[in-house]
Amino acid sequence: QAKLLESEVFHQSVKVYYNTNLIDFYHDYPQMEVNVYAEAKVSPEFYSSVRDALQPILQDKSNVEAVTALLHLMHYSFDYAVDEVQFGFEKPLFCEENFYYPYNDCEDRAVLFAFLVRELLGLKTVLVEYSDHVATAVSFGDTELSGDFLVLEHEKYVICDPTYIGASIGMSMSEYKNQPVKVMMLE
């Protein structure tokens, strides 16, 4: 199966293939910590279709420009709904499921965004879990960026929230700025 994303960010459609057998398998998968979904392997067809569709678009961009483009892809190419509305219960999605189901929510977007940044750009990511929200933070290495960030093992990770529509790199939702967080390092 394939899903066509209409992306104003890239000024073109992006076709991504996913494995329906995995979708069936994931349907009854027991609920785990969010990092399990972010670190799960994806099917070869999904990986190659994502790489083939997005790599040419991102290749001439700086890391900041490429992460911005991926953030905007997440903001404007997926419809948002909480799991209780879509499923009637909490159900974090694996990367491929984001292309199967009509909606995704914050942890689903954080998982997919972290995957895209790690796999397409080779940048380190972490998941940032608040009391009722999940975002992503990205290490840009020596690139100096302003905004909200965390320092982990002497490395700066800048907040990149794929659910905060229109937010740029370094912007956290105001209601979460002063909340304690749980950080999940990703392999």
Side-chain angles (χ1 to χ4, degrees):
Q1 288 280 3
K3 180 172 184 172
L4 194 63
L5 290 181
E6 297 297 331
S7 174
E8 292 179 18
V9 175
F10 301 134
H11 307 291
Q12 67 187 61
S13 298
V14 175
K15 192 177 230 179
V16 175
Y17 291 89
Y18 55 87
N19 184 325
T20 54
N21 292 326
L22 282 177
I23 302 299
D24 293 341
F25 174 74
Y26 294 148
H27 184 268
D28 297 318
Y29 201 85
Q31 188 172 339
M32 309 291 278
E33 289 284 328
V34 177
N35 63 310
V36 171
Y37 301 88
E39 293 175 334
K41 298 290 184 208
V42 298
S43 70
E45 60 264 57
F46 176 77
Y47 180 82
S48 62
S49 69
V50 166
R51 183 196 61 225
D52 294 349
L54 298 179
Q55 198 71 280
I57 298 166
L58 301 173
Q59 71 184 0
D60 294 328
K61 295 182 178 345
S62 70
N63 284 336
V64 172
E65 292 168 332
V67 168
T68 298
L70 291 174
L71 263 180
H72 288 266
L73 177 75
M74 298 304 301
H75 292 165
Y76 301 112
S77 297
F78 293 91
D79 293 324
Y80 180 87
V82 295
D83 291 335
E84 288 72 22
V85 169
Q86 180 168 221
F87 300 111
F89 57 92
E90 181 63 27
K91 182 187 178 356
L93 300 180
F94 288 93
C95 286
E96 291 178 72
E97 290 180 293
N98 284 281
F99 294 88
Y100 176 77
Y101 292 108
Y103 306 104
N104 58 18
D105 65 7
C106 64
E107 77 269 0
D108 309 325
R109 290 178 183 211
V111 163
L112 179 58
F113 177 73
F115 166 80
L116 294 173
V117 169
R118 285 190 333 269
E119 294 298 324
L120 298 175
L121 305 176
L123 299 176
K124 294 180 186 176
T125 61
V126 295
L127 298 179
V128 182
E129 187 173 12
Y130 302 91
S131 61
D132 63 348
H133 181 63
V134 179
T136 311
V138 177
S139 172
F140 289 89
D142 294 336
T143 303
E144 198 55 43
L145 294 167
S146 60
D148 300 325
F149 67 92
L150 310 159
V151 176
L152 304 164
E153 299 176 358
H154 308 291
E155 196 163 357
K156 181 177 177 180
Y157 287 80
V158 183
I159 298 294
C160 296
D161 193 334
T163 305
Y164 188 7
I165 306 300
S168 56
I169 294 170
M171 292 178 67
S172 298
M173 290 184 192
S174 59
E175 61 264 40
Y176 299 111
K177 279 186 180 270
N178 297 316
Q179 271 196 15
V181 298
K182 175 181 176 183
V183 177
M184 291 173 261
M185 301 291 284
L186 299 176
E187 300 289 321

